[in-house]
Amino acid sequence: MFKNYLKAIFLAIFCALNASAAQSISLLRDPDIEHGLQQLADPILRAASLNSESVKVWIINDMSLNAFVIDHKHIFLHAGLVLQLKSAAQLQSVIAHEAAHISNGHISRRLANARRAKMATSFGVLVGAAAVAAGHTDAGLGLALGATGSVNRVLLAHNRIEESAADQSAVRFMELAKVDPTAMAEVFKLFIGQSTLSEDYQDPYTRSHPLNQDRIRTIHAYAANATPHRPDAKQAYWFSRIQGKLSGFLRAPQWTIRRATGSSDVNRMRRAIAEHRSGRSSTAQQTIAQLVTDHPNDAFYRELQGQILLESLEFSAATKAYASAAKLAPSNALILGGYGRSLLAQNTKSSNAQALKILQKARNLDSRDARILRDIGTAYARNGQQGRAFLAIAERYALQGDMQNAAIQAKRAEDLLPRGSAARQKAQDILDTAKTP
């Protein structure tokens, strides 16, 4: 009986590991990038009277140009857009525009419309809906919401009145945050000419954020009347670091090595990533080790060191690097997740027990990291907590919007978890959500 359950658990974990690979949309969760994005977003969010602790900016692994919001707590940027922009102010102008949709109540109305239309509004399904609206019809996640046109109309597409209001609010937020509002006009230049293209060739941003020459002229007028501000050196640094790490992992390694020729910290980081991805593990480790030595209090360089070592199968050294990063940033869920992952890789009784404790803390800090849910499922299984393992797998499926498989795993969890326990109630909640039309 126990062996059958254990076999089922690891089969479910294997399926969960491969579920996202079949989907064409994924989130790029990286602690360094997300910290940098928050550094740029915080002054904008405060100007918009939004809680900068609650609203997070995340990256979608997609090279098209797009940005969108689906709820009150997340702003999503496509990787292609972030890499295309030229300055921190340009990136902040995109964040300001999306924040305006939240603060102006546009998202509240859309969620209310979705509920009236009996559309599912779980996080995973909503992110999937955005993928479908962006043209990823094979993504799977958004299919629960029906045809692309319905999704785009009810949840994602902004009309011109909303866009005009968001433009005005965004300029005001940028002024309050002392960010040059002319950057918004610069961003709009990226999309000039898109409206004349067939929809199949338009970037998804143009489809969901209608743009015309009148709107562009209005933005130029807003920017011309606004107070100019000099670029902030700290914000420019974080923009460079965000782009550097993102391009390091998404561009071809040789592309990065040819361009990251300077001696700046960001260029050294880029070279370490490119060398690692090229299979030059020893060189990559030397490069990142020198960065860590030069910046001993930078948790994110230590986290990258841990990642490089872990992927190089040096599990003990990776654990030490992650432990140092976690000591510097004890409340960063993504760093804790990497720490737990390195301990699971060692796969001893003591390391598995320690990994479970660390992953539980990471899970409590961030309930929407699919990797943490995957790893904590493995940790629960290795520590003999089969019901909790199935529940973690169910939550991961639910996060991805796959409620059919979430229900299967939640039923397995329900059968094993104690009656009246919070974990069993959570499994039942997933089952109830899966039954909702």
Side-chain angles (χ1 to χ4, degrees), residues 156-172:
L156 298 168
H158 301 289
N159 60 45
R160 287 178 179 173
I161 294 174
E162 289 180 345
E163 286 298 276
S164 178
D167 291 342
Q168 293 181 54
S169 296
V171 170
R172 187 173 72 254

Side-chain angles (χ1 to χ4, degrees), residues 2-185:
F2 174 77
K3 288 183 178 180
N4 288 338
Y5 269 126
L6 199 60
K7 183 178 179 181
I9 288 169
F10 283 108
L11 177 62
I13 290 173
F14 175 81
C15 292
L17 277 167
N18 289 279
S20 61
Q23 298 160 350
S24 61
I25 182 173
S26 62
L27 293 172
L28 294 175
R29 302 296 311 276
D30 178 86
D32 197 357
I33 291 173
E34 290 184 13
H35 177 79
L37 288 169
Q38 216 61 37
Q39 294 296 306
L40 299 184
D42 282 353
I44 300 292
L45 296 173
R46 287 194 297 269
S49 298
L50 296 173
N51 186 344
S52 61
E53 293 294 320
S54 299
V55 181
K56 303 302 178 185
V57 185
W58 285 354
I59 301 288
I60 296 283
N61 186 12
D62 191 305
M63 293 305 287
S64 64
L65 309 184
N66 201 13
F68 58 90
V69 285
I70 58 170
D71 60 15
H72 301 97
K73 293 186 176 181
H74 299 89
I75 295 171
F76 294 94
L77 309 174
H78 279 209
L81 179 60
V82 175
L83 291 175
Q84 186 77 15
L85 299 176
K86 304 300 182 185
S87 69
Q90 287 187 2
L91 182 50
Q92 287 172 302
S93 76
V94 176
I95 294 170
H97 184 91
E98 299 307 321
H101 284 306
I102 299 175
S103 64
N104 289 353
H106 302 160
I107 303 307
S108 296
R109 286 195 292 274
R110 272 161 171 62
L111 291 174
N113 290 341
R115 284 190 288 270
R116 283 195 294 271
K118 295 185 178 179
M119 288 182 174
T121 56
S122 67
F123 179 81
V125 173
L126 289 175
V127 175
V132 176
H136 300 289
T137 52
D138 60 334
L141 288 172
L143 299 182
L145 288 175
T148 302
S150 310
V151 174
N152 205 31
R153 183 175 62 255
V154 176
L155 281 170
L156 298 168
H158 301 289
N159 60 45
R160 287 178 179 173
I161 294 174
E162 289 180 345
E163 286 298 276
S164 178
D167 291 342
Q168 293 181 54
S169 296
V171 170
R172 187 173 72 254
F173 301 157
M174 293 175 74
E175 283 200 277
L176 289 171
K178 297 183 179 180
V179 176
D180 187 356
T182 59
M184 183 177 291

